[in-house]
Amino acid sequence: MSIKLNLEDTIAFERPLTRVVKQNLTIQNPHDKPVAFKVKTTAPKLYCVRPNSDVIPPNGSIDVQIMLQAQREEPPLDVKCRDKFLILSTYVNEVTEKMGITELWNHVEENDKSKKTIHQHKLRCVYVQSKEAETNTAATPAAAPAPAANLTSITPVATAPAAAQANAAANDANTKGSQKDQEDVIEKMKAMERELNKYKEAEKLEVKTGFPPSIYILISLIIAAIAYFITTK
């Protein structure tokens, strides 16, 4: 003998659990005899079952409402519910059909020690997310990777020593170039000073030799030009 349930092995209660959560259980009697049923749970203080026992007529069914009482705090998502329900069923015979439902079950459980006439169906309780919560979780985009701006901001700091070295090398090169230019100018000034001395000597020669000083000046200019081009190279 067996009854049929609209649930197979589990009974699900939808979060949030800080409110009363209701679940319907349909029990069907597929037999041509009346069947009595009784609902038990491992956590009677947490659940309210209406009705928790009754008689189902032949080929009939009954809806049972199971309510999970509101909890003070929402359990973690990874918590596993250990609550269970046990649905007992038995045929109603000529002796028990005249009894009330409470007396009927007391009589059956006291006289049937082997439990052969009692059928058992177990349901395990589970906590599930609401469809809306599952949709929101699926629609939430993955966390974007950290922007690369931080890396680029570090780059100038990392390359600062190299830039400083390049600047120092450029400054050294400029300093050396300036020193060389100064040396060239000094050399040219010395060459011109020597040429002036030659002009003075030429004037003395004119007095002694009688040659015009323009000849000596021309020769001196030619020599100065040659010296200038040599020093610029």
Side-chain angles (χ1 to χ4, degrees), residues 131-198:
K131 294 181 180 179
E132 182 179 356
E134 291 178 353
T135 302
N136 293 338
T137 302
T140 302
N150 292 335
L151 296 178
T152 48
S153 64
I154 295 174
T155 303
V157 178
T159 57
Q165 291 177 359
N167 291 334
N171 292 332
D172 292 341
N174 293 334
T175 302
K176 292 179 180 179
S178 299
Q179 292 176 352
K180 188 176 185 303
D181 292 340
Q182 292 176 0
E183 292 175 355
D184 292 341
V185 171
I186 293 172
E187 290 296 329
K188 291 178 180 179
M189 291 178 66
K190 289 180 178 180
M192 293 180 68
E193 185 177 358
R194 288 194 295 270
E195 294 301 323
L196 289 174
N197 292 330
K198 291 179 182 180

Side-chain angles (χ1 to χ4, degrees), residues 6-223:
N6 65 326
L7 304 176
E8 294 183 0
D9 299 321
T10 60
I11 178 169
F13 295 93
E14 189 176 276
R15 293 175 180 269
L17 304 179
T18 52
R19 58 184 174 86
V20 176
V21 183
K22 299 178 181 179
Q23 182 62 277
N24 290 325
L25 174 65
T26 300
I27 304 175
Q28 183 180 359
N29 175 17
H31 308 285
D32 55 1
K33 297 179 180 180
V35 172
F37 78 92
K38 182 178 182 179
V39 181
K40 290 185 176 183
T41 179
T42 58
K45 293 183 179 180
L46 291 180
Y47 300 92
C48 180
V49 182
R50 297 177 181 174
N52 63 346
S53 60
D54 206 342
V55 176
I56 307 174
N59 300 311
S61 64
I62 189 171
D63 291 331
V64 176
Q65 188 177 67
I66 300 177
M67 292 177 287
L68 172 62
Q69 303 301 311
Q71 302 185 27
R72 293 183 179 180
E73 297 180 356
E74 184 71 14
L77 294 177
D78 58 349
V79 69
K80 292 184 179 180
C81 182
R82 300 183 182 277
D83 303 336
K84 295 180 178 62
F85 280 90
L86 180 65
I87 295 90
L88 305 177
S89 61
T90 185
Y91 282 124
V92 177
N93 53 35
E94 295 178 354
V95 176
T96 57
E97 65 180 357
K98 297 178 182 180
M99 300 178 181
I101 190 65
T102 303
E103 184 183 1
L104 182 151
W105 278 108
N106 289 337
H107 173 80
V108 171
E109 291 176 345
E110 289 177 1
N111 292 281
D112 190 0
K113 301 299 182 181
S114 62
K115 308 296 181 182
K116 291 182 179 181
T117 61
I118 300 176
H119 177 76
Q120 298 183 355
H121 193 108
K122 296 179 180 179
L123 291 176
R124 180 173 55 86
C125 298
V126 295
Y127 299 149
V128 297
Q129 285 277 59
S130 63
K131 294 181 180 179
E132 182 179 356
E134 291 178 353
T135 302
N136 293 338
T137 302
T140 302
N150 292 335
L151 296 178
T152 48
S153 64
I154 295 174
T155 303
V157 178
T159 57
Q165 291 177 359
N167 291 334
N171 292 332
D172 292 341
N174 293 334
T175 302
K176 292 179 180 179
S178 299
Q179 292 176 352
K180 188 176 185 303
D181 292 340
Q182 292 176 0
E183 292 175 355
D184 292 341
V185 171
I186 293 172
E187 290 296 329
K188 291 178 180 179
M189 291 178 66
K190 289 180 178 180
M192 293 180 68
E193 185 177 358
R194 288 194 295 270
E195 294 301 323
L196 289 174
N197 292 330
K198 291 179 182 180
Y199 295 154
K200 294 178 180 180
E201 294 293 332
E203 291 179 353
K204 294 178 180 180
L205 288 174
E206 180 187 6
V207 175
K208 293 179 179 182
T209 61
F211 287 101
S214 58
I215 294 175
Y216 296 103
I217 294 172
L218 178 62
I219 295 171
S220 299
L221 291 174
I222 293 172
I223 296 171

